[in-house]
Amino acid sequence: NAGVMQNPRHLVRRRGQEARLRCSPMKGHSHVYWYRQLPEEGLKFMVYLQKENIIDESGMPKERFSAEFPKEGPSILRIQQVVRGDSAAYFCASSPQEPLNTEAFFGQGTRLTVV
Amino acid sequence: DAKTTQPTSMDCAEGRAANLPCNHSTISGNEYVYWYRQIHSQGPQYIIHGLKNNETNEMASLIITEDRKSSTLILPHATLRDTAVYYCIVRVATDNNNDMRFGAGTRLTVKP
């Protein structure tokens, strides 16, 4: 059973371009969480999704950021018109539908660099 | 956002037990206590979780006070590879409220 897979591991974008970060949850997991980590800082919650539904996006910036978790395929975190301040590590985690109190597992992250 | 408070940093001698405290005084009855760690810039690693009883696994032990307002993560024989940032999280697991909010964590340094 493969772990949570994130790709790409490293992504370089020029200012104004779009960044697409993908997260494939563990097999059987229907809950996905996205976090952002700036250098030397902690993990900041961004969004929590279940299949085809956004449950909590209170940590998402109001503009340029969006997330989806379609019925088929990976979860996507999309950042439009990237700026230098978007440079960070983005982690996703997944957990199963049942039992609800089980642990979530993290991927190894995507390091986004905006130049 | 985080509902826990932890010391910013701690040191521990190699081979000794590392005891990492966490305060969660506003925890509610259906919230679990979870511990994760992040080694360097890797993805966070799950360690252990519990509701009210003490828990032990191959990595660590979790001691939760009777009033559940605080807990302690114990690494019984710390090694240099246990140097990491340790996060304590409270999380209520209902179908539509299953998110996890991280605080600043405790940076544990294991010294030879």
Side-chain angles (χ1 to χ4, degrees):
Chain A
N1 188 8
V4 178
M5 303 300 293
Q6 291 189 248
N7 66 82
R9 292 291 307 275
H10 299 275
L11 182 61
V12 179
R13 283 288 177 266
R14 295 187 183 278
R15 282 178 295 170
Q17 291 185 318
E18 178 180 286
R20 279 179 174 254
L21 288 64
R22 285 176 289 279
C23 171
S24 296
M26 289 181 69
K27 186 176 180 181
H29 285 193
S30 58
H31 297 207
V32 166
Y33 318 79
W34 284 94
Y35 295 84
R36 177 164 64 175
Q37 188 171 38
L38 297 171
E40 303 303 320
E41 294 190 10
L43 290 149
K44 296 296 183 185
F45 169 80
M46 298 182 75
V47 62
Y48 161 45
L49 309 103
Q50 295 177 17
K51 283 283 188 180
E52 300 184 278
N53 288 305
I54 296 174
I55 305 303
D56 183 349
E57 57 181 346
S58 57
M60 289 277 272
K62 295 290 183 248
E63 297 176 346
R64 303 187 298 108
F65 285 72
S66 62
E68 63 177 5
F69 188 17
K71 187 177 181 180
E72 301 291 338
S75 176
I76 305 289
L77 179 67
R78 183 182 177 205
I79 311 173
Q80 296 178 289
Q81 299 175 324
V82 296
V83 300
R84 288 223 170 102
D86 297 331
S87 294
Y90 292 83
F91 292 97
C92 80
S94 73
S95 65
Q97 174 73 18
E98 296 285 345
L100 290 171
N101 65 331
T102 193
E103 61 270 29
F105 294 92
F106 280 81
Q108 289 305 303
T110 293
R111 272 111 187 124
L112 173 65
T113 302
V114 179
V115 297
Chain B
D1 287 333
K3 297 173 65 175
T4 62
T5 55
Q6 300 176 251
T8 303
S9 63
M10 293 181 64
D11 291 342
C12 177
E14 187 179 20
R16 304 298 293 270
N19 297 286
L20 291 91
C22 179
N23 286 322
H24 30 81
S25 58
T26 60
I27 193 169
S28 22
N30 60 349
E31 286 183 314
Y32 287 75
V33 179
Y34 284 75
W35 284 83
Y36 283 79
R37 72 180 182 183
Q38 189 175 25
I39 297 173
H40 195 46
S41 55
Q42 298 176 20
Q45 177 188 24
Y46 165 80
I47 300 173
I48 199 167
H49 74 283
L51 183 62
K52 55 184 178 181
N53 297 322
N54 297 337
E55 302 287 344
T56 295
N57 62 21
E58 65 278 3
M59 289 182 68
S61 295
L62 174 60
I63 308 298
I64 303 174
T65 58
E66 192 169 343
D67 63 8
R68 302 208 325 121
K69 293 181 184 293
S70 65
S71 61
T72 300
L73 178 75
I74 301 173
L75 308 178
H77 305 286
T79 70
L80 298 179
R81 288 179 295 179
D82 292 322
T83 292
V85 178
Y86 287 76
Y87 297 98
C88 168
I89 303 160
V90 294
R91 177 189 183 201
V92 59
T94 60
D95 197 30
N96 288 317
N97 189 7
N98 199 17
D99 61 5
M100 300 186 297
R101 309 284 173 136
F102 286 74
T106 296
R107 184 174 296 276
L108 175 69
T109 303
V110 181
K111 299 186 173 181

